[in-house]
Amino acid sequence: MTENVGQRFDRLPATPDERTVEGRATRAEVVGYFEERFGITPETFDGYTFWEKGAGKIWVYAGEAPSPVELEALGMTCLRTRQEHWKPTTDAVQRFGRAATRNVIDLSREEARRFAAGEDQELDWDGDWGYLIAAHEIGVGPEGRPGRDGASAERRSADRSSEQSPREDAVERGQREPLGVGLYLHGELRSMVPKGRQRDL
Amino acid sequence: MEPLERYRPIVDDFEAFLEACRRPLGIAVRVNTIEASVERATAVLEEEGVAYERVGWNPRVLRLDTDSPGATWASFHGFTHTQEEVSAVPPVVLDPRPGERVWDACAAPGGKATQIAALMDDRGTVVANDNNLGRLSALRFNAERLGATSLAVTNRDARNYSLKPFGFDEFDRALVDAPCSCEGTIRKNPDALDDWSEGHVHSVAGIQKGILRRAIQATREGGTVVYSTCTFAPEENEAVVDHVLAEEDCRVVDVDVDLEHSPGVTEWDGEAYDPSVEKAIRIYPHQNDTGGFFVAKLEVTAP
């Protein structure tokens, strides 16, 4: 077994059998983590490769590169491994977290505001403790239903005036949007939004 | 504004030009279609009570009625990215397609590189390079915030750039948004002309020529290279394109963008340039109430 080289991107092995670096996560484990913890299906990551640079720092990439490769960044950081509880990044959760079906805590607008500002808050949650995806409903139009992607303004106003819209069912899940990663412990949701990403909204 | 006097002979309605350069610039954002459609982004802005206006030439660019475009939910979620309106022109002219290999030679702080990724549906390889490590950290921050997974980031001198680290040896397209004297950013940055000197214009032109030549060399035959600056100086614009036409295998092609603009100049300061540089576009602040920009589109030809 060899060691992780800090300045280099190495593609994750597909499975433990192909692992050559001690302690390195496999693609199967990474995809499995997102599925098991958040219900994000493995197909979500078809077309992406996973890489390690820095101990336990996992990157998700859609482009081409040989392995190993030395450069500054490859896609985006998505996960911290090599610690007891794996932790996804805020940016990756904003990017892929819409597909989550488990361990998503829905926040009110005021709670979301505090979360985005980096504040911890006491909240009820009867699910698993640990890292959660914090989300809120946003982009819900003045009529109390979501604005539609891809429909023109004329089409939307036509939809509003008609009693029954053919696309009504397609938006029943609403416009839930992931905010980032929270750590839930002992009745408290801690915001994991990094300093540079925190905003007063 | 004094350095701008030299452009009196080439700018139509020069007084309107100067007047526009004195006015501060409005706030514009680009919708980051990696994270949200234009409909979704505007629905969020509407819900937040942030007024916006769509620009005519690009459905993904909005003028916002706010002084803090970063303090919106749309921005927090990565649906919008604050970017000067004319800065969004070069990637549109580059016209990259999903799955392609694209080089952004001077990419920091990443507005255009992430726009290229979005135009490619975040599918393919966008090699975002910059020689300045400090600015590169801004690029990485923006790329992650906007969810761009197709970016590979490098920190090299673009003039002798090697593709060796990658598994391929040429790009389909390249953008050279070159470091320049930044005269066109005067509305955003009133200090932009403080350090202006003709010597600086000439020295930066040398660097620009080196980077653009390398971009032509690194792009496949039939591929597209876009050269842009945010300055008015012909020494940094048409003269650079003229130089590269003489030294490398390429030709200037028409720029198709629905913004008012002027053609490239073919004569300046006693020098005549290749007549085809007229196909480049000059965007002046008084034409569309934006910053200033120069954009040339080149096609790589057979040796």
Side-chain angles (χ1 to χ4, degrees):
Chain A
M1 281 284 175
T2 54
E3 300 230 316
N4 185 53
V5 180
Q7 285 313 300
R8 205 171 78 179
F9 280 93
D10 285 22
R11 194 165 160 175
L12 295 193
T15 60
D17 293 348
E18 293 165 42
R19 176 161 36 213
T20 56
V21 174
E22 195 163 354
R24 175 165 289 163
T26 64
R27 178 189 173 89
E29 286 167 351
V30 166
V31 169
Y33 166 81
F34 281 111
E35 182 176 33
E36 193 182 309
R37 181 72 193 167
F38 301 113
I40 298 172
T41 59
E43 297 76 47
T44 308
F45 298 105
D46 285 355
Y48 295 94
T49 50
F50 292 96
W51 303 70
E52 182 174 25
K53 182 199 182 190
K57 203 172 174 183
I58 307 299
W59 305 61
V60 58
Y61 179 53
E64 297 168 64
S67 178
V69 63
E70 283 201 35
L71 27 71
E72 299 301 317
L74 212 51
M76 66 191 297
T77 55
C78 67
L79 188 66
R80 279 273 182 191
T81 61
R82 300 192 187 242
Q83 53 195 26
E84 193 189 342
H85 298 286
W86 288 11
K87 179 186 168 204
T89 63
T90 292
D91 292 317
V93 157
Q94 286 196 350
R95 177 73 164 80
F96 296 102
R98 266 169 237 121
T101 54
R102 270 199 293 280
N103 289 316
V104 180
I105 185 164
D106 289 298
L107 303 183
S108 70
R109 186 55 47 86
E110 186 49 37
E111 289 161 352
R113 209 166 265 139
R114 296 183 60 186
F115 186 87
E119 291 175 31
D120 303 335
Q121 48 193 320
E122 309 236 323
L123 287 174
D124 287 332
W125 165 252
D126 55 12
D128 289 352
W129 290 13
Y131 293 118
L132 306 180
I133 292 176
H136 67 152
E137 290 263 329
I138 197 159
V140 181
E143 288 79 20
R145 65 191 173 104
R148 276 91 180 271
D149 282 9
S152 67
E154 300 80 58
R155 166 74 194 279
R156 274 191 293 139
S157 70
D159 282 356
R160 275 185 204 122
S161 58
S162 68
E163 284 290 305
Q164 277 244 313
S165 154
R167 297 184 58 190
E168 199 73 51
D169 291 342
V171 292
E172 63 176 4
R173 262 193 64 201
Q175 299 285 343
R176 181 199 253 184
E177 191 64 33
L179 291 150
V181 182
L183 176 61
Y184 193 87
L185 290 171
H186 306 290
E188 186 186 56
L189 181 71
R190 296 185 195 162
S191 171
M192 297 284 118
V193 178
K195 275 242 156 48
R197 289 285 271 114
Q198 293 170 8
R199 289 287 179 277
D200 284 317
L201 293 152
Chain B
M1 298 293 157
E2 206 184 303
L4 301 182
E5 269 302 319
R6 66 203 288 262
Y7 305 125
R8 195 176 279 275
I10 59 169
V11 179
D12 284 341
D13 201 352
F14 190 73
E15 294 309 321
F17 166 75
L18 278 186
E19 183 49 43
C21 288
R22 287 189 194 103
R23 284 197 307 268
L25 199 61
I27 298 284
V29 297
R30 173 173 58 82
V31 174
N32 172 38
T33 50
I34 295 173
E35 294 280 8
S37 66
V38 174
E39 287 289 319
R40 176 118 175 86
T42 52
V44 169
L45 288 169
E46 279 168 27
E47 189 180 79
E48 291 188 79
V50 178
Y52 64 87
E53 187 191 329
R54 291 166 193 256
V55 306
W57 66 278
N58 188 331
R60 299 180 177 190
V61 177
L62 310 171
R63 292 183 175 193
L64 287 201
D65 187 16
T66 174
D67 290 333
S68 41
T72 63
W73 283 114
S75 170
F76 180 78
H77 285 295
F79 294 179
T80 56
H81 180 63
T82 308
Q83 190 174 5
E84 204 183 316
E85 181 178 332
V86 271
S87 283
V89 172
V92 169
V93 173
L94 187 67
D95 194 23
R97 312 293 164 85
E100 287 186 333
R101 299 159 176 163
V102 181
W103 187 35
D104 187 349
C106 317
K112 296 182 191 72
T114 51
Q115 184 181 354
I116 289 167
L119 288 167
M120 292 163 62
D121 297 333
D122 204 24
R123 281 275 170 265
T125 305
V126 181
V127 177
N129 177 71
D130 206 275
N131 70 341
N132 182 320
L133 199 58
R135 282 163 56 92
L136 214 53
S137 65
L139 181 152
R140 289 180 49 186
F141 177 83
N142 285 323
E144 297 225 342
R145 188 180 80 78
L146 299 173
T149 62
S150 53
L151 252 62
V153 179
T154 59
N155 177 216
R156 312 243 169 74
D157 186 332
R159 291 173 290 186
N160 50 23
Y161 197 80
S162 166
L163 281 75
K164 226 173 179 174
F166 299 96
F168 50 85
D169 52 16
E170 53 186 14
F171 292 107
D172 296 301
R173 293 170 207 262
L175 172 63
V176 178
D177 183 55
C180 70
S181 58
C182 298
E183 296 163 351
T185 65
I186 184 71
R187 301 182 64 182
K188 191 172 66 179
N189 173 14
D191 305 331
L193 300 175
D194 287 0
D195 298 324
W196 192 94
S197 75
E198 215 165 302
H200 177 245
V201 166
H202 283 284
S203 82
V204 77
I207 297 167
Q208 292 159 346
K209 287 172 185 168
I211 300 174
L212 184 55
R213 284 192 66 176
R214 183 66 195 119
I216 303 285
Q217 294 162 2
T219 301
R220 69 169 166 82
E221 188 187 324
T224 299
V225 176
V226 167
Y227 177 73
S228 61
T229 72
C230 51
T231 206
F232 307 116
E235 295 92 334
E236 299 180 53
N237 293 330
E238 289 87 348
V240 173
V241 175
D242 177 73
H243 173 81
V244 168
L245 287 173
E247 301 291 330
E248 303 293 337
D249 300 308
C250 60
R251 64 185 187 104
V252 190
V253 297
D254 287 318
V255 171
D256 181 22
V257 62
D258 197 14
L259 264 172
E260 199 186 326
H261 56 79
S262 299
V265 299
T266 52
E267 276 181 36
W268 175 252
D269 204 18
E271 274 192 61
Y273 305 131
D274 188 299
S276 69
V277 301
E278 205 181 8
K279 292 181 177 182
I281 65 168
R282 294 179 150 259
I283 301 170
Y284 293 116
H286 59 304
Q287 293 176 320
N288 310 279
D289 195 19
T290 63
F293 238 77
F294 172 86
V295 185
K297 185 174 187 178
L298 299 160
E299 183 191 305
V300 179
T301 55

